[in-house]
Amino acid sequence: MFSWIIGSSLKFRFLVLGAAVALETLHAYARNLSERIIPRGVETHEVVEIVLLLRDVLARSLFAKYQGYYNGSKSERSDHRKLDWHPNLAQLGKAAGTLALLLVLGAAPSAAWAFDRDGFKARAEATLAELNTKRLADSKATLARLDEMLALGIVGLKEYGASHPKYAKLMDAAIADSQAMKRMTDVEIEEKWGENGTAGDALGIPLKSLADFGEERAYLELVVGPAHQYIFVKKWESTKKARWLEQARDEAVELLKHLEAVRSK
C-alpha cells in the first residue's frame, strides 16, 4: 500500500491539478485524514495547509517538466517565475516531505500501518547506485526519493516506539525533528543526532549509550540517514563539488548497514 501511494505520484499530480479543488473539499479530505493521524500530533488545519502547498509543489513540477508545450521555450527560469508569486512557496520543501508522511500514515487504519522495509531498502539502494556514479543526472529526483525514505522511516520509528516504550520519546523526538534535520548543516546534525549527539540527553537516553550498530541506533538512522544525505546533496547542488556526493555516498553505505538491524514484520 505504501509503495503504491508514493509510487503513483504522477497520477496524483494530474488528479490534483485537473480537479480545481475547492477549499471545502480540502477541508473534508483533511478531516478524514486527521481522524487517522491526530493521535500522532497533526491537526486538521495543518493538513489543509499541507494539501494546499502540495498543489503548488505539483504545479511547479509539471510546469517545469512540460514547459516546452506551454511556450515552446527551454527557459525554466522564466516559467518558474510565473509560480514564484505564491507566498507559500518558501515552505514547499517542508510541505512535500510532511505530506508524504501524512499520506503514508493516513492511507490505512492505524491497526494496519507497518514499516515498509523493502520499499525503504529499494530506495536506499537506488540512491547509493546514483551516488556511486559521482554525479546526479536529476538531483531533484534524488531529493524527492530521500523525502520518501524519511516518510517511510518515520513509520518505522513510530512502530518501534510503540513496541519499545523505553525508547518511545526518543523516537518521537527524532520524528519531530525530521524536517528540521534537512535544514541543518552536516556538523549540526552530527552534534545533535550523531553517535555522540545531545538529542537524547534531556530524555535520559544519551545517544552515546546506544550501540553503534544496535537496534535503537538503526531505527533512528531511518530518519537521520536520509536527512544527512539530503544535506550533502543540497550542498552539491549549490557548489557542484564532488566531495559532497562522496560524503552522501558514505552516509548511504552506513545507512544500509544499519538497515540490517531493522526487523521485517
Side-chain angles (χ1 to χ4, degrees):
M1 174 65 75
F2 299 143
S3 299
W4 178 86
I5 294 166
I6 295 175
S8 61
S9 59
L10 185 60
K11 178 180 178 181
F12 186 66
R13 289 175 185 177
F14 282 105
L15 177 64
V16 173
L17 291 173
V21 182
L23 184 60
E24 292 79 6
T25 304
L26 290 173
H27 268 293
Y29 170 73
R31 280 196 302 272
N32 180 272
L33 188 55
S34 295
E35 288 174 0
R36 299 175 180 178
I37 62 176
I38 280 176
R40 296 176 173 84
V42 181
E43 297 181 4
T44 300
H45 72 88
E46 294 173 322
V47 181
V48 173
E49 198 172 294
I50 291 163
V51 173
L52 287 168
L53 288 171
L54 180 70
R55 180 187 60 190
D56 297 321
V57 174
L58 301 181
R60 176 183 285 276
S61 176
L62 283 182
F63 207 44
K65 185 171 183 179
Y66 297 108
Q67 59 184 314
Y69 292 99
Y70 178 76
N71 61 4
S73 170
K74 296 292 184 181
S75 173
E76 182 176 337
R77 182 180 178 187
S78 64
D79 283 341
H80 278 188
R81 284 177 179 172
K82 296 178 178 66
L83 296 175
D84 284 342
W85 63 270
H86 198 293
N88 288 330
L89 287 179
Q91 306 175 51
L92 290 180
K94 179 179 179 181
T98 306
L99 186 69
L101 166 63
L102 296 182
L103 288 173
V104 169
L105 292 179
S110 58
W113 62 274
F115 173 54
D116 181 8
R117 185 182 185 279
D118 290 342
F120 186 95
K121 184 178 181 182
R123 288 168 174 80
E125 290 175 338
T127 302
L128 177 58
E130 287 181 348
L131 295 170
N132 277 332
T133 68
K134 299 182 180 181
R135 59 183 295 274
L136 295 177
D138 187 352
S139 60
K140 295 294 186 292
T142 304
L143 292 172
R145 189 186 309 113
L146 290 169
D147 264 326
E148 292 172 4
M149 290 167 63
L150 269 170
L152 293 171
I154 286 171
V155 176
L157 267 64
K158 275 291 184 183
E159 185 179 79
Y160 190 77
S163 59
H164 297 76
K166 176 181 177 180
Y167 297 103
K169 290 184 178 179
L170 180 61
M171 299 297 149
D172 286 344
I175 291 169
D177 213 21
S178 59
Q179 292 302 311
M181 287 182 199
K182 299 188 303 181
R183 300 188 294 274
M184 295 178 183
T185 65
D186 51 312
V187 173
E188 289 171 341
I189 195 172
E190 191 65 36
E191 288 180 345
K192 188 170 184 180
W193 289 103
E195 285 80 359
N196 296 305
T198 60
D201 293 354
L203 303 173
I205 308 177
L207 296 186
K208 62 184 178 183
S209 70
L210 305 180
D212 286 351
F213 286 92
E215 193 175 64
E216 292 78 26
R217 167 52 64 180
Y219 274 89
L220 285 177
E221 288 296 327
L222 296 178
V223 164
V224 178
H228 214 156
Q229 292 174 60
Y230 193 101
I231 291 169
F232 289 130
V233 172
K234 291 294 288 184
K235 282 196 169 189
W236 176 82
E237 278 190 331
S238 61
T239 66
K240 293 300 186 287
K241 292 182 178 179
R243 65 189 179 99
W244 298 125
L245 291 187
E246 291 170 2
Q247 291 193 52
R249 179 194 176 279
D250 291 344
E251 291 295 332
V253 170
E254 184 174 323
L255 176 58
L256 282 166
K257 186 175 180 180
H258 281 296
L259 192 60
E260 294 174 5
V262 176
R263 298 188 306 270
S264 297
K265 296 297 181 182

